[in-house]
Amino acid sequence: AYISASQARVSPSTSYTPSRHKRSYEEDEDMDLHPSKQKEQHMGNCSGGDIHGCVEPKRLETEASAGHHLISPNCSPPLDLNFPLPGEKGPACLVKVYESWDSFKVNDVLEVYGILSVDPVLSIVNNEESSTLDPMDCMDTAEEQRVHSPPASLVPRIHVILAQKLQHINPLLPACLNEEESKTCEYPSLTSLFVSNFMSELSPVRAELLGFLTHALLGDSLAAEYLILHLISTVYARRDVLPLGKFTVNLSGCPRNCIFTEHLYRIIQQLVPASYRLQMTIENMNQSRFIPHKDYAANRLVSGVLQLASNTSLVVDETQLEQGQLDTTGVHNVTALGNLITWQKVDYDFNYHQMEFPCNINVLITSEGRSLLPSDCQVHLQPQIIPPNMEEYMSSLLTAVLPSVLNKFRIYLSLLRLLDYSISEEVTKAVEEDFVEMRKNDPESVTADDLHRTLLVARFLSLSAGQTTLSRERWLRAKQLEALRKARLQQQKCVNGNEL
């Protein structure tokens, strides 16, 4: 979508023609086979480059798995482009920033306008030229020079004229949507018109999306309701260490060793701008690097899987988990996942100390029984449809949806996440009284956690209907959904003993 919108406005540059032989065959083939990746890679370039200011460069790139390195004819060891996720390919670049570099944070997504440079001289650092270089640059070790000055034919430079942090990365929406940013927009009236027009048709879009996700979840409308709430959830504030607004859902009861979870992820992937499926196998837990760590020899941050941009949908597939032994790395990785879910933070490893980086990642856990990982809400799947051919059934869902309808779903999920929300004093008082009554009737099973979860459900339920304040009706509907969910879990517990 981004590429098609850009091609209408941009004419190709005549100043730079890339040499075909300098890109690997696998990369060309991958770009041809997966044209949709080009948009992702373009966005990745904006957010994943090396940002050089007046001081030590900040690494915002992340790393590919072993075996996905590009070989440079000038370097004896393979050049590691430090991609964010295992198996990623495609172009990378170094982004040179000359002002306000300290306003950018790790994992920010940036839109960058600048001058593309592929001058080979940029990657040459030798004694003859050292007199013209910054004295601090000459103190770099050979490893640092190799990492920070890769061949320009493989890693071009972008010299930034203008860079701005993006509020979202959905190309179907106007760039700025909240009130403060819309004041600086080029066409603020068009932005408000876009929002008001879409909000007027919100109800049928929600109904269509609920029906679509109900089919994807094998006829389970309750699970589909919670999936919508999960997809529009976001961390809206932090109170001390507690992130408010996170809504991690554990979808239990998923068929084991089945392509159901894989296809469910593909559907989510088509609805949200950024996503990743993490297969929770013993091998992955023990061998993958989840936490970024500092490489002092090369003076850079070597990234891990959990170094993700805000509002990325992370689907953790626990149905792949089998019996086995977690080693030290595996235990650290599971702990890091738990911290991400509970506290919405990742502790980067700087060898001698840990550095805490806050994040905002939507985590959906698919599992057979109750997940080993913490979650804010467990929904047990109750399929109403058992298709004879699961793969054919799940594959046909996406092909049956019109592209225009799919785009409405995409706008719906991105837009509602950006709306403001509040609760009036009158409704707050009514909720408090209601909670006191619930405690009187059933003091053991109704806890403060239940109140917090029900308020979250009510918040996202209101937003899903385009309402920015909580009404009495939405509060009652949230209580009803929670009662149905708990009854289903209790029923499952009775069937399977103490599994849940």
Side-chain angles (χ1 to χ4, degrees), residues 387-426:
N389 187 327
M390 182 72 78
E391 184 159 11
E392 190 179 308
Y393 173 82
M394 296 296 284
S395 298
S396 64
L397 286 174
L398 276 174
T399 54
V401 182
L402 291 171
S404 59
V405 175
L406 204 55
N407 279 344
K408 284 182 180 179
F409 294 165
R410 291 162 174 164
I411 294 170
Y412 173 90
L413 294 173
S414 292
L415 182 61
L416 297 184
R417 186 178 273 168
L418 299 165
L419 294 180
D420 292 323
Y421 174 86
S422 60
I423 305 178
S424 66
E425 288 184 18
E426 185 185 347

Side-chain angles (χ1 to χ4, degrees), residues 291-292 336 339 345-350 353-357:
I291 304 169
N339 287 337
K345 64 163 189 168
V346 180
D347 294 321
Y348 289 21
D349 181 10
F350 283 78
H353 67 282
Q354 303 277 315
M355 191 172 287
E356 186 178 297
F357 285 83

Side-chain angles (χ1 to χ4, degrees), residues 350-370:
F350 283 78
N351 290 9
Y352 311 107
H353 67 282
Q354 303 277 315
M355 191 172 287
E356 186 178 297
F357 285 83
C359 57
N360 184 5
I361 309 297
N362 275 17
V363 185
L364 175 69
I365 308 162
T366 58
S367 60
E368 191 181 15
R370 183 174 184 170

Side-chain angles (χ1 to χ4, degrees), residues 197-253:
N197 284 348
F198 191 81
M199 295 300 272
S200 65
E201 57 177 47
L202 199 72
S203 185
V205 173
R206 188 194 194 281
E208 277 189 273
L209 178 59
L210 181 63
F212 174 65
L213 292 178
T214 300
H215 284 298
L217 294 167
L218 307 178
D220 189 342
S221 58
L222 180 66
E225 282 275 10
Y226 275 94
L227 185 54
I228 289 178
L229 305 186
H230 163 76
L231 290 173
I232 64 171
S233 66
T234 187
V235 175
Y236 61 88
R238 290 180 188 265
R239 297 285 180 270
D240 297 324
V241 295
L242 189 68
L244 303 180
K246 73 182 182 75
F247 194 59
T248 299
V249 171
N250 171 209
L251 186 65
S252 59

Side-chain angles (χ1 to χ4, degrees), residues 52 75 137 144 184-185 221 233 365 393 438:
H52 287 259
C75 296
D137 288 343
E144 281 183 77
T184 60
C185 273
S221 58
S233 66
I365 308 162
Y393 173 82
M438 288 160 66

Side-chain angles (χ1 to χ4, degrees), residues 266-322:
R266 286 183 188 173
I267 286 169
I268 292 172
Q269 190 180 28
Q270 290 296 316
L271 298 176
V272 298
S275 61
Y276 181 63
R277 177 178 172 229
L278 178 60
Q279 297 183 59
M280 202 173 170
T281 61
I282 295 291
E283 185 182 5
N284 270 353
M285 293 296 104
N286 288 341
Q287 294 182 9
S288 298
R289 182 169 52 248
F290 284 17
I291 304 169
H293 77 271
K294 179 68 181 280
D295 177 356
Y296 286 94
N299 191 25
R300 70 160 177 181
L301 189 67
V302 180
S303 71
V305 171
L306 298 184
Q307 194 173 348
L308 300 166
S310 281
N311 294 317
T312 299
S313 285
L314 179 63
V315 178
V316 180
D317 188 355
E318 212 178 276
T319 61
Q320 307 282 321
L321 198 58
E322 294 178 347

Side-chain angles (χ1 to χ4, degrees), residues 16-59:
Y16 168 53
T17 307
S19 302
R20 300 297 294 171
H21 69 276
K22 289 182 180 174
R23 187 190 275 180
S24 68
Y25 170 76
E26 290 81 10
E27 184 187 327
D28 283 341
E29 184 179 48
D30 190 67
M31 295 289 274
D32 293 336
L33 291 175
H34 305 284
S36 62
K37 282 192 178 181
Q38 294 178 18
K39 175 216 163 190
E40 296 164 18
Q41 288 161 353
H42 175 85
M43 298 308 297
N45 289 347
C46 295
S47 62
D50 216 8
I51 292 191
H52 287 259
C54 307
V55 296
E56 177 187 350
K58 294 184 177 182
R59 294 302 293 189

